[in-house]
């Protein structure tokens, strides 16, 4: 036998792990999360690999979905309803918003179902439960990257010049992911107890989409309502995308409100998740 | 104490009764409840929450490198204990100290994804069980080898046969190298050949000095693998001893007075009826020597009954019933089963009779042999299954002379029967 079978002995002092009843607030246990980072990547990779299995079109769906939505929006809102698009060609105006929006909606839907969908893992193995909703949010980024290539092509086609504003794009992308994760933490944990969530989510995303300037311009909102409008965190994100890529719209107090809201949702979601985490295996 | 691996102190876990329904509620019910419960509370009506303790004040210590079996009936709390030890669920009271990394195997193939290939699933499952990618990479060939599915490594596992699936899943798990391994009944899968391989692998793990906690209903596996055994019932620790056999017997047959004894003697003058008084029940070899508690299957043995008749009655019958370790009746037999001229004589006064159980007829395992007696077609004197005088015998090994039959087959009996050209 080689030395790979040598066993570490921990018993000299403190136990390596102590299991006790959970009292009050749970610790965040970020170290544990870090130790299981490989599992996080593997679960993300699994979702990506499996998503388009047994589909004829495969990953082209990632391109088709936003393109088709853009086409429909362009006909209905651009041509028929003639919604103003801040002087920018309507297709690219809406496509730029669809990218973060679809990332958000997809990740949100995915993560709200994630814990219940991983029932067998939750009830049979230990690992930091946070990994599950996080891993379900990340695959959306792959679709995002693919559609972003399409967007780049469209920017060239419509001859929209790039400015240094594009450097702020990662920030808005991060905000989109964070808001999806924040809401996902809430919903995934709630879904363990209340399976109603499954029925709530489709309505919620539909409603939310109309509350977000995806198909229309935020400039349609009267100035006095703007701050209130900013309570929807995705407003700031979508406005930010248009601002960074198309140079339209503006990044003002509204974006700051969005950031505050996202931070609030995220922290409260994380807290709720960690509080209920201990009972997941018993309840799920 | 320097060599402790697991220390469990006053561990308790409480569940709500009806757990699932009670907790898997909808918003509506919760909302209605939150309105109506204050009203009920004011009226003094309170809905008592029914709970039960799946684990109740359990304490024990396990030393490093020990392999410990956990036995108990379904619902006794074994699985809950494993779930707490593997950190899947939190205890309600008490604490557990673990001196080492824990890997738990509560089922094989947790997290396998049917669309992914065998290769991908090895990495995924390994990570779920707590292995790093490097660790898995280093053992990849070994794992594939052990599973015997190398030809289908790049096929999605949904196309695997259930046997292949289980073999691959166990192969990953078998190559875990934690300090503490917690295993639940995974050996209940796969064919006998593969089960043997799994048992062997688990034995290796224990030999390497790792601590193994092993829940099983397979008493043979426990006896082969473990150095000591824990018996849990109704969430309480009943027994924890390195005398595995007696823990098993105690679990199987409950009464500590009959522990691993192949003789019962009527020392308390009980079971006396107007006609019959049993004196002894014993398991012996050909020349009348008492059997040890465990024998191999390759020798005949005798069930010997001594008794006393107050008067002669042609309707009096006496014999035994034999049960397997899970309580199944194998058969019962009487002194009057043959043609009349072969019956043993039973006159007034004491008698001694015996009956041969042929070798290689029963299967491996623990057997309970119970004295039965009746006045034929009139009344039971010792009715089967009514806590009669009984003895226990474990049969182990000596199954057959065949080079291909060396481990326990399923079934109540394991007769060696001859096959011929015809």
């Amino acid at each position: 036998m080689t030395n790979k079978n040598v066993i570490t002995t921990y018993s000299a002092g403190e136990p390596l792990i102590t299991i006790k009843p959970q009292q009050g607030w749970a610790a965040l246990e970020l170290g544990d999360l870090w130790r299981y980072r490989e599992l996080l990547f593997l679960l993300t990779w699994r979702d990506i690999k499996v998503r388009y299995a047994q589909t004829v079109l495969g990953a082209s769906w990632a391109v088709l979905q936003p393109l088709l939505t853009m086409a429909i929006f362009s006909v209905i809102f651009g041509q028929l309803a003639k919604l103003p698009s801040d002087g920018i060609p309507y297709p690219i105006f809406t496509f730029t918003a669809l990218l973060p929006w679809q990332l958000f909606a997809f990740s949100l839907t995915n993560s709200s179902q994630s814990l219940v969908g991983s029932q067998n893992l939750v009830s049979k193995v230990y690992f930091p439960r946070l990994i599950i909703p996080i891993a379900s949010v990340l695959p959306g980024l792959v679709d995002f990257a693919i559609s972003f290539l399409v967007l780049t092509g469209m920017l060239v086609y419509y001859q929209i010049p790039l400015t240094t504003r594009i450097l702020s794009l990662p920030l808005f992308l991060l905000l989109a992911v964070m808001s999806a994760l924040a809401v996902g933490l809430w919903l995934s944990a709630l879904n363990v107890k209340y399976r109603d969530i499954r029925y709530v989510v489709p309505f919620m995303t539909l409603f939310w989409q109309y509350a977000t300037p995806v198909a229309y311009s935020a400039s349609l909102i009267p100035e006095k309502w703007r701050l209130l409008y900013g309570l929807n965190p995705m407003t700031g994100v979508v406005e930010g995308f248009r601002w960074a890529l198309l140079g339209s719209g503006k990044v003002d107090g509204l974006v700051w409100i969005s950031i505050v809201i996202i931070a609030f949702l995220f922290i409260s979601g994380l807290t709720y998740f960690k509080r209920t985490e201990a009972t997941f295996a018993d309840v799920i | 104490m320097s060599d402790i691996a697991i220390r469990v102190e006053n561990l308790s876990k409480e569940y709500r009764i009806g757990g699932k329904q009670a907790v898997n509620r909808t918003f509506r019910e919760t909302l209605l409840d939150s309105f109506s419960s204050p009203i009920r509370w004011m009226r003094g009506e309170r809905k008592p929450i029914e709970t039960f303790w799946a684990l109740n004040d359990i304490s024990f210590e396990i030393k490093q490198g020990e392999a410990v079996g956990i036995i108990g009936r379904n619902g006794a709390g074994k699985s809950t204990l494993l779930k707490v030890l593997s950190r899947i669920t939190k205890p309600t009271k008490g604490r557990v100290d673990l001196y080492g990394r824990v890997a738990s195997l509560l089922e094989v193939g947790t997290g396998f994804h049917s669309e992914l290939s065998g290769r991908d699933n090895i990495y995924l499952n390994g990570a779920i069980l707590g292995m790093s990618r490097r660790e898995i990479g280093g053992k990849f060939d070994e794992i594939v080898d052990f599973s015997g599915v190398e030809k289908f490594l790049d096929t999605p596992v949904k196309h695997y046969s259930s046997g292949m699936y289980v073999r691959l899943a166990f192969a990953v798990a078998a190559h875990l190298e934690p300090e503490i391994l917690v295993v639940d009944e995974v050996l209940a899968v796969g064919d006998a050949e593969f089960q043997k391989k799994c048992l062997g692998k688990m034995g290796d793990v224990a030999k390497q000095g790792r601590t193994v906690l092993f829940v099983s209903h397979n008493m043979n596996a426990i006896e082969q693998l473990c150095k000591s055994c824990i018996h849990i019932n109704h969430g309480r620790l009943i027994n924890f001893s390195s005398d595995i056999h007696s823990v098993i017997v105690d679990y199987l047959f409950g009464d500590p007075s009959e522990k691993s004894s192949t003789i019962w003697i009527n020392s308390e003058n009980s079971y006396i009826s107007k006609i019959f008084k049993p004196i002894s029940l014993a398991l012996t070899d050909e020349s009348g020597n008492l059997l040890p508690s465990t024998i191999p299957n390759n020798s005949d043995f005798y069930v010997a009954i001594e008794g006393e008749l107050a008067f002669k009655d042609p309707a009096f019958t006496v014999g035994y019933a034999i049960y397997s370790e899970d309580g199944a009746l194998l058969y019962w037999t009487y002194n009057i089963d043959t043609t009349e001229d072969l019956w043993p004589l039973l006159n007034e006064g004491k008698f001694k009779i015996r009956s041969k159980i042929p070798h290689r007829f029963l299967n491996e395992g623990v057997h309970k042999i119970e004295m039965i007696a009746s006045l034929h077609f009139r009344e039971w004197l010792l009715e089967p299954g009514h806590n009669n005088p009984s003895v226990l015998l474990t049969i182990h090994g000596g199954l057959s002379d065949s080079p291909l039959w060396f481990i326990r087959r399923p079934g109540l009996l394991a007769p060696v029967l001859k096959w011929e050209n015809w």
Side-chain angles (χ1 to χ4, degrees), chain A residues 16-270:
Chain A
L16 185 70
I17 301 159
T18 293
I19 302 167
K20 279 192 289 194
Q22 181 172 342
Q23 280 150 350
W25 303 94
L28 207 46
E29 290 165 324
L30 285 180
D32 227 14
L33 205 57
W34 176 246
R35 225 167 295 133
Y36 278 87
R37 63 194 181 281
E38 283 191 354
L39 180 61
L40 174 63
F41 293 127
L42 274 167
L43 286 177
T44 309
W45 162 85
R46 176 194 73 177
D47 283 0
I48 293 168
K49 193 155 181 179
V50 161
R51 184 130 52 93
Y52 297 115
Q54 261 192 27
T55 58
V56 178
L57 295 180
S60 357
W61 280 113
V63 178
L64 280 176
Q65 278 171 342
L67 273 183
L68 290 174
T69 317
M70 176 194 77
I72 294 165
F73 280 11
S74 300
V75 171
I76 296 176
F77 299 112
Q79 298 297 315
L80 298 178
K82 297 209 186 315
L83 287 180
S85 54
D86 300 347
I88 289 160
Y90 187 85
I92 193 165
F93 174 79
T94 190
F95 195 76
T96 309
L98 274 171
L99 285 198
W101 172 258
Q102 292 207 329
L103 169 66
F104 172 78
F106 170 85
S107 304
L108 171 63
T109 311
N110 245 8
S111 60
S112 66
Q113 288 301 320
S114 60
L115 276 176
V116 172
S118 309
Q119 217 161 8
N120 61 333
L121 289 187
V122 172
S123 58
K124 295 291 182 193
V125 205
Y126 169 79
F127 54 86
R129 305 309 187 200
L130 269 176
I131 282 185
I132 293 181
I134 297 177
S136 67
V137 160
L138 297 181
L141 287 172
V142 175
D143 283 13
F144 178 84
I146 296 173
S147 342
F148 195 79
L149 288 178
V150 178
L151 179 70
T152 320
M154 286 175 72
L155 285 172
V156 172
Y157 177 81
Y158 285 106
Q159 295 177 345
I160 293 169
L162 289 183
T163 61
T164 48
R165 284 180 181 184
I166 198 170
L167 294 177
S168 63
L169 202 62
L171 169 74
F172 294 113
L173 180 60
L174 181 72
L175 284 180
V177 173
M178 289 293 277
S179 22
L181 183 59
V183 183
L185 286 174
W186 269 107
L187 295 183
S188 61
L190 279 169
N191 201 9
V192 170
K193 242 185 180 172
Y194 311 102
R195 296 293 153 87
D196 308 59
I197 298 299
R198 188 184 343 181
Y199 305 103
V200 171
V201 167
F203 286 111
M204 200 178 85
T205 42
L206 189 67
F207 176 76
W208 202 325
Q209 179 172 351
Y210 288 110
T212 308
V214 177
Y216 58 89
S217 165
S219 57
L220 287 181
I221 306 296
E223 198 60 35
K224 58 177 175 178
W225 296 115
R226 252 182 94 75
L227 289 185
L228 189 66
Y229 191 54
L231 287 178
N232 167 9
M234 282 309 287
T235 304
V237 172
V238 165
E239 279 295 280
F241 261 73
R242 285 203 179 116
W243 177 80
L245 289 167
L246 308 178
S248 78
K250 50 183 175 183
V251 169
D252 53 7
L254 184 144
V255 173
W256 289 109
I257 291 178
S258 293
I259 292 176
V260 171
I261 295 285
I262 290 170
F264 169 75
L265 279 176
F266 186 77
I267 292 167
S268 60
L270 200 59

Side-chain angles (χ1 to χ4, degrees), chain B residues 139-152:
Chain B
K139 292 192 189 127
F140 191 83
D141 294 335
E142 248 179 281
I143 292 174
V144 174
D145 230 33
F146 188 87
S147 69
V149 300
E150 55 271 59
K151 272 191 209 157
F152 307 96

